[in-house]
Amino acid sequence: MSARQPTAAIPKLAHDRIAEMKEHKLFTCDLSINEFLLLKQAGFDPLGLVMGTSIYQIVPNVPNIPRGQPGVEMVDMTRALYHARELAMNRMEEEADELGADGIVGVRLVVNLDGDPQRVAWKLYRQWQAWAHSVGYPRRVTNLGSGWFYQWQQLAWTQWNGWLQQMGRAWEPPPWSLPPKEATYALGQNVAEFLAIGTAVKHRGGESFKNKAGKPFQSDLSGQEFWQLVKAGYRPVGFVMGNCVYYVPPWLLQAPGSQNTELSAYTHALYDARELAIERLQHEAEALGATGIVDVTVSEHSHAWRQNYVNIGNQALVSGEMLELFVIGTAVVPMPDNERAEPPKTKLIHAITNTMNEATIGVEE
Amino acid sequence: MNVRSANRPVPSLSDLSVTEFLTLSRMGFLPHGLVVGASVYEADTRGSGGSIDLFGALFGGGPLVRPAQTGEVTALSEAVRAARTLAIERMRKQAAEYGADGVVGVRLQVEHHLWRGNHQVAKFIAIGTAVGFDHDHGPEELRGAPSLRLQNGAPFTSDLSGQDFVALLRAGFRPVTVASGTCVYQLNLQEMMRYRGYNCEVAEYTRAFFDARETAMQRLQYDLFSWWPVGHPDAPTGIVGMTVTESAHRPTMMGGRSIGGAAVAGSTSPVVEFTAVGTAIVPLHPNDPRRDNAPVKPLVVVPLDR
């Protein structure tokens, strides 16, 4: 899992768009103005918004392990989840390569889970429940338990039609069937979209910032952070990631007695998963010849693998816990003139609101 | 409509924050009023031969859902594009009536409504603050600067905040227009059938989503290229703050009134709209006094709340 594999090509439309951009000398970017200006100041020009996507089906196969045994890594799923992201990132890289970019900044790697019908239905189910309670149906009627997915619509429509009749109103659609504000569409169970979007950039002086593999570097650093890094004498060589899907059987999730105690086997399983993921991340960074990794985030996902959205806690005690440890960061190397670089002076200010986060580096007037 | 004279300052509406107002006024720009453009569209495709069955079938009345091919819904793409362009154009017209140089802080909003009689209606709104250079009170050195209006005299539009607008001017660029491109795609859920039980990429959907996003971005560019061909003084050299968002055009779980077992997931075809939005910019003249030739001096700030 160390070296990324060559993958399916980007569609023809992407080639067309890039060719048009080159012909008309138009750049596109999703940078804010501050990011845009700082990037220019750091000696880079934005070339274009690049993206790659992959819609992937990931089917959980709960392993059948004998009672009393510890958890295991689910290698197939680890590979599938890695492959899905890799496909998206490689396609984005391909677009950037075609633009002639040195790198991609501000990469966002998004997992869009809205494709799961149960997840979509759950929102509607909750909306119907809220309406039913507001017009006086008791909770014992509206709480359908674990069979909700197959039963709720029947009951919901019976209630709605009954209520309309009672109120003497003409037929109208119920509130939960109205078009929602945000995107909801079901693709299929266990189907998720993996999307990578970023801005391709090129060094104005013609200096090549491509990485060891001859590809544009990728980084999830914002324009501000990128500027800071370059000013301090480092340059990114690539986006590196590692993941590990781990299955924790149900008997590790329960304490033996009723006293306060550490679930040591569970802790151990989490440790294993995390260490495996970080180790893979390091391997990738070493393959790129990086001397360090910045902005590493370790996240724990359970994605949409639960069979049912009801009683999530109890469900885990029956079927076990399936979680993904996902680690991602930007690999960096010092630039040759690192010694002479002067790191930007830092000012500490007290940020009053959270909105200050957006302007970590303000452009001085 | 109430046309105001160009004599400033008189009180006028704006949705600028205090910081935005002050930043703008230091550059000599004052708000001329809140400008709104709206366009209401009914997206009914029942009369189009039945191949695309969208909103009609959903809320009763129309033919039953027939599994649609994965692909673009051209009629809807066109409708959305026309509606959004109209909304922006109306907003621009109102700004022109106010004698403004342009509009900042434009927000593009879409509201979906279901009107009595099963009319699925989408309301597109463009809203922003018209601003203009104040010759009597603006800074002395900027009074000779050329207007930021487009070559045909129309005001510019941009979704930049007041601060961003000023930072952009200082850096030697001016906004031209809010650009948008749309592509509405329909997915055939039957295609999922052959993927039962595998860990693999769903190639059809990937292709559909990829194509749809690329098309949205390409249309955004295409409009700009056709309005301002190469060599035109307003021909944009770049687009900043571009985003591609998606929104679903119909709830998936509701198959109309016949709701028995038919509406279980997988029986309806999702319709997803992809929209690319950004602000097109062009460089200012090299001798423009608004251009601040000193390099940008960033101030590194470490917020203490994270």
Side-chain angles (χ1 to χ4, degrees):
Chain A
M1 206 166 304
S2 52
R4 303 220 176 118
Q5 323 227 321
T7 43
I10 51 175
K12 186 182 165 293
L13 279 167
H15 295 293
D16 292 353
R17 177 175 71 96
I18 288 165
E20 253 177 45
M21 272 167 65
K22 278 182 166 170
E23 187 196 327
H24 286 83
K25 294 201 174 55
L26 177 91
F27 73 82
T28 54
C29 66
D30 62 349
L31 305 171
S32 68
I33 299 298
N34 282 352
E35 284 182 285
F36 171 66
L37 299 181
L38 282 174
L39 203 66
K40 286 215 159 248
Q41 217 236 341
F44 287 84
D45 282 332
L47 289 180
L49 192 68
V50 286
M51 59 146 239
T53 184
S54 165
I55 296 180
Y56 216 89
Q57 170 163 274
I58 290 147
V59 184
N61 280 316
V62 178
N64 195 4
I65 52 179
R67 206 181 154 79
Q69 295 297 306
V72 288
E73 188 191 351
M74 300 171 68
V75 183
D76 278 358
M77 287 193 61
T78 304
R79 239 177 239 157
L81 279 164
Y82 186 90
H83 187 223
R85 296 187 179 105
E86 186 191 32
L87 280 173
M89 283 164 64
N90 281 352
R91 284 170 187 155
M92 178 177 68
E93 189 178 66
E94 207 177 313
E95 285 199 9
D97 214 14
E98 191 159 329
L99 270 171
D102 284 329
I104 311 169
V105 298
V107 173
R108 278 162 298 137
L109 198 57
V110 185
V111 184
N112 185 354
L113 288 169
D114 270 341
D116 190 331
Q118 284 219 9
R119 195 174 269 255
V120 175
W122 178 251
K123 282 185 198 153
L124 300 179
Y125 171 67
R126 299 292 292 174
Q127 230 179 321
W128 158 65
Q129 281 189 327
W131 168 80
H133 298 155
S134 74
V135 298
Y137 285 102
R139 271 166 210 280
R140 68 186 146 75
V141 179
T142 58
N143 190 354
L144 297 178
S146 59
W148 68 276
F149 186 63
Y150 300 101
Q151 298 165 13
W152 78 274
Q153 294 203 352
Q154 191 93 46
L155 180 62
W157 284 82
T158 317
Q159 282 186 359
W160 175 253
N161 288 331
W163 182 76
L164 282 179
Q165 214 163 21
Q166 202 182 343
M167 307 305 278
R169 293 166 75 151
W171 192 85
E172 57 184 281
W176 61 89
S177 79
L178 294 183
K181 280 218 173 86
E182 66 215 66
T184 53
Y185 47 86
L187 297 178
Q189 204 161 3
N190 304 316
V191 175
E193 189 194 10
F194 296 81
L195 174 66
I197 286 196
T199 298
V201 297
K202 191 174 176 58
H203 192 256
R204 209 176 302 128
E207 198 180 323
S208 176
F209 271 74
K210 291 190 175 175
N211 62 19
K212 233 171 103 181
K215 294 279 183 192
F217 69 81
Q218 302 183 15
S219 86
D220 60 346
L221 303 173
S222 68
Q224 286 95 329
E225 288 168 325
F226 181 71
W227 174 84
Q228 227 169 343
L229 196 72
V230 170
K231 282 286 148 193
Y234 287 87
R235 65 188 180 88
V237 285
F239 211 15
V240 285
M241 61 183 182
N243 72 334
C244 176
V245 181
Y246 217 82
Y247 174 69
V248 186
W251 47 88
L252 297 190
L253 301 176
Q254 297 168 64
S258 59
Q259 71 275 47
N260 294 335
T261 173
E262 186 189 13
L263 301 172
S264 53
Y266 186 22
T267 311
H268 203 89
L270 274 177
Y271 248 99
D272 279 357
R274 197 177 295 124
E275 291 301 325
L276 277 169
I278 295 177
E279 199 184 312
R280 286 166 191 164
L281 171 92
Q282 286 179 359
H283 276 306
E284 281 204 350
E286 279 163 26
L288 285 170
T291 53
I293 311 172
V294 297
D295 212 17
V296 173
T297 51
V298 183
S299 51
E300 195 184 306
H301 307 276
S302 55
H303 292 309
W305 298 320
R306 290 209 170 81
Q307 300 302 311
N308 209 311
Y309 283 81
V310 175
N311 275 342
I312 281 172
N314 295 343
Q315 185 73 24
L317 291 181
V318 178
S319 60
E321 180 97 285
M322 212 182 318
L323 36 88
E324 185 196 16
L325 264 297
F326 181 59
V327 195
I328 197 157
T330 297
V332 296
V333 292
M335 290 198 275
D337 52 352
N338 180 271
E339 305 304 317
R340 279 181 287 126
E342 202 180 306
K345 290 190 191 74
T346 307
K347 261 192 193 177
L348 281 173
I349 65 152
H350 181 63
I352 300 162
T353 61
N354 281 327
T355 52
M356 292 295 288
N357 284 345
E358 278 185 17
T360 310
I361 300 174
V363 175
E364 204 177 48
E365 285 244 358
Chain B
M1 208 167 284
N2 154 25
V3 183
R4 298 175 208 186
S5 73
N7 285 336
R8 298 278 105 196
V10 293
S12 61
L13 269 176
S14 84
D15 61 354
L16 302 174
S17 70
V18 174
T19 322
E20 279 182 287
F21 175 77
L22 293 177
T23 320
L24 281 171
S25 65
R26 214 190 302 170
M27 283 287 277
F29 285 96
L30 283 182
H32 282 214
L34 200 65
V35 284
V36 186
S39 150
V40 182
Y41 250 72
E42 178 170 356
D44 185 18
T45 48
R46 256 178 296 180
S48 65
S51 59
I52 2 173
D53 142 58
L54 298 171
F55 305 103
L58 235 196
F59 299 104
L64 272 176
V65 178
R66 164 193 315 189
Q69 282 310 300
T70 298
E72 195 190 346
V73 191
T74 327
L76 269 183
S77 292
E78 278 299 310
V80 173
R81 174 181 171 275
R84 200 166 271 134
T85 319
L86 255 177
I88 296 176
E89 212 38 58
R90 284 179 180 151
M91 180 189 69
R92 197 198 285 271
K93 249 184 210 151
Q94 202 187 348
E97 277 172 44
Y98 285 171
D101 288 339
V103 188
V104 295
V106 172
R107 299 189 304 278
L108 299 178
Q109 299 168 344
V110 190
E111 285 172 21
H112 291 282
H113 295 281
L114 193 76
W115 286 357
R116 196 165 282 275
N118 297 329
H119 294 291
Q120 170 97 22
V121 164
K123 199 156 79 182
F124 294 85
I125 302 168
I127 184 164
T129 300
V131 295
F133 187 74
D134 179 16
H135 281 275
D136 303 330
H137 304 86
E140 198 100 351
E141 66 276 14
L142 298 184
R143 284 187 196 169
S147 163
L148 289 178
R149 277 184 222 161
L150 308 187
Q151 206 202 21
N152 61 2
F156 69 85
T157 56
S158 82
D159 60 0
L160 307 171
S161 71
Q163 293 95 310
D164 282 352
F165 171 67
V166 169
L168 195 71
L169 280 182
R170 290 287 196 102
F173 292 93
R174 65 183 167 91
V176 177
T177 186
V178 173
S180 76
T182 305
C183 179
V184 183
Y185 241 71
Q186 178 167 259
L187 302 168
N188 178 8
L189 288 175
Q190 308 269 312
E191 278 160 358
M192 246 352 266
M193 300 297 253
R194 87 180 78 128
Y195 289 95
R196 280 277 155 79
Y198 300 109
N199 280 332
C200 60
E201 186 181 19
V202 186
E204 286 89 348
Y205 292 171
T206 304
R207 171 51 69 88
F209 273 55
F210 216 127
D211 279 357
R213 284 207 187 85
E214 290 288 350
T215 311
M217 290 196 267
Q218 200 177 12
R219 284 195 182 143
L220 178 146
Q221 297 174 11
Y222 181 81
D223 274 357
L224 295 180
F225 297 153
S226 57
W227 293 334
W228 297 289
V230 184
H232 191 280
D234 290 329
T237 54
I239 295 163
V240 290
M242 180 149 143
T243 53
V244 189
T245 51
E246 64 199 70
S247 62
H249 260 253
R250 82 197 250 183
T252 3
M253 298 309 294
M254 291 292 152
R257 260 182 274 183
S258 54
I259 208 64
V264 180
S267 67
T268 57
S269 336
V271 175
V272 190
E273 179 198 327
F274 295 87
T275 303
V277 180
T279 292
I281 59 170
V282 288
L284 286 171
H285 191 270
N287 298 329
D288 196 295
R290 280 170 294 226
R291 204 184 250 269
D292 187 358
N293 284 321
V296 188
K297 266 185 284 164
L299 171 73
V300 183
V301 168
V302 180
L304 298 179
D305 62 346
R306 62 164 176 171

